[in-house]
């Protein structure tokens, strides 16, 4: 969890603000070790954003570290929950979250998410639906899938009703990543 490992980009390119990243990772370290008055969750890590500045930290390195940090927080959450309630309770909780996600994917009308607002760019429906099918295959135990694969997924762009609104798609797959991390 050390931000000292991040490389910086040239002063002509943009990267994440070093002070913001250092502060975030310092807080994460303290929260993970139980030394922070402000707790941190894997959701806080998923939603972390940093200002882009010239000469900042390499965004790819920071994003990869955020993925590892999120996985560490989920693993710790799992360990604490299992210690208090047992492995079976953890699996039951994950199964319930998975059923909720699975139910969303089985909508009979075919529209899994709200369309993008008129004239605005959204995610290509075919790309999103293809990833949803992979997720269904995972839930049906027919196809392997990892949290890293979900995180790395990219979608083409489409305007208005030809695309899905980005926010609900992002929120859905963030919850799916949490489920997969809880199983891994």
């Amino acid at each position: 969890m050390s931000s000292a490992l991040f490389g910086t980009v040239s002063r002509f390119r943009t990267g994440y603000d070093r002070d913001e990243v250092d502060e975030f990772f310092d807080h994460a370290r303290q929260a993970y070790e139980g030394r922070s008055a402000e707790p941190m969750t894997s959701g806080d890590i998923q939603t972390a954003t940093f200002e882009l500045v010239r000469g900042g930290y390499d965004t790819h390195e920071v994003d990869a570290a955020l993925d590892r940090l999120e996985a560490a927080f989920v693993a710790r959450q799992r360990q604490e929950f299992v210690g208090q309630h047992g492995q079976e309770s953890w699996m039951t909780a994950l199964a319930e979250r998975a059923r909720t996600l699975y139910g969303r994917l089985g909508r009979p009308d075919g529209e899994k998410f709200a369309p993008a607002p008129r004239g605005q760019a959204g995610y290509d429906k075919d790309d999103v639906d293809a990833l949803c099918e992979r997720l269904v295959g995972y839930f049906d135990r027919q196809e392997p899938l990892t949290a890293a694969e979900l995180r790395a997924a990219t979608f083409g762009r489409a305007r208005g009703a030809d695309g899905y609104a980005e926010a609900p798609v992002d929120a859905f797959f963030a919850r799916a990543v949490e489920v997969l991390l809880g199983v891994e």
Side-chain angles (χ1 to χ4, degrees), residues 27 30-31 34-39:
H27 175 239
Q30 290 177 15
R35 298 183 294 120
S36 175
E38 295 179 40

Side-chain angles (χ1 to χ4, degrees), residues 122-143:
Y123 293 138
D124 181 81
K125 288 182 177 182
D126 291 336
D127 291 349
V128 173
D129 289 346
L131 187 56
C132 288
E133 288 175 20
R134 287 203 59 212
L135 193 56
V136 166
Y138 172 80
F139 287 142
D140 287 341
R141 298 178 184 195
Q142 297 172 353
E143 184 173 348

Side-chain angles (χ1 to χ4, degrees), residues 2-85:
S2 174
S3 60
L5 301 175
F6 303 134
T8 56
V9 295
S10 76
R11 62 185 176 103
F12 301 108
R13 292 183 46 217
T14 58
Y16 290 139
D17 183 280
R18 289 185 272 185
D19 293 335
E20 287 181 13
V21 172
D22 289 342
E23 183 179 321
F24 180 84
F25 275 87
D26 184 52
H27 175 239
R29 187 177 308 107
Q30 290 177 15
Y32 189 82
E33 294 170 355
R35 298 183 294 120
S36 175
E38 295 179 40
M40 181 177 276
T41 67
S42 60
D44 296 327
I45 298 164
Q46 283 178 357
T47 59
T49 58
F50 307 108
E51 185 86 23
L52 286 172
V53 297
R54 292 193 185 278
Y57 283 138
D58 182 282
T59 58
H60 297 293
E61 290 179 18
V62 174
D63 289 343
L66 286 171
D67 290 346
R68 291 189 303 273
L69 183 63
E70 180 187 3
F73 269 75
V74 169
R76 183 181 191 122
Q77 177 187 3
R78 175 183 184 166
Q79 186 179 35
E80 290 171 355
F81 188 95
V82 168
Q84 291 179 349
H85 306 286

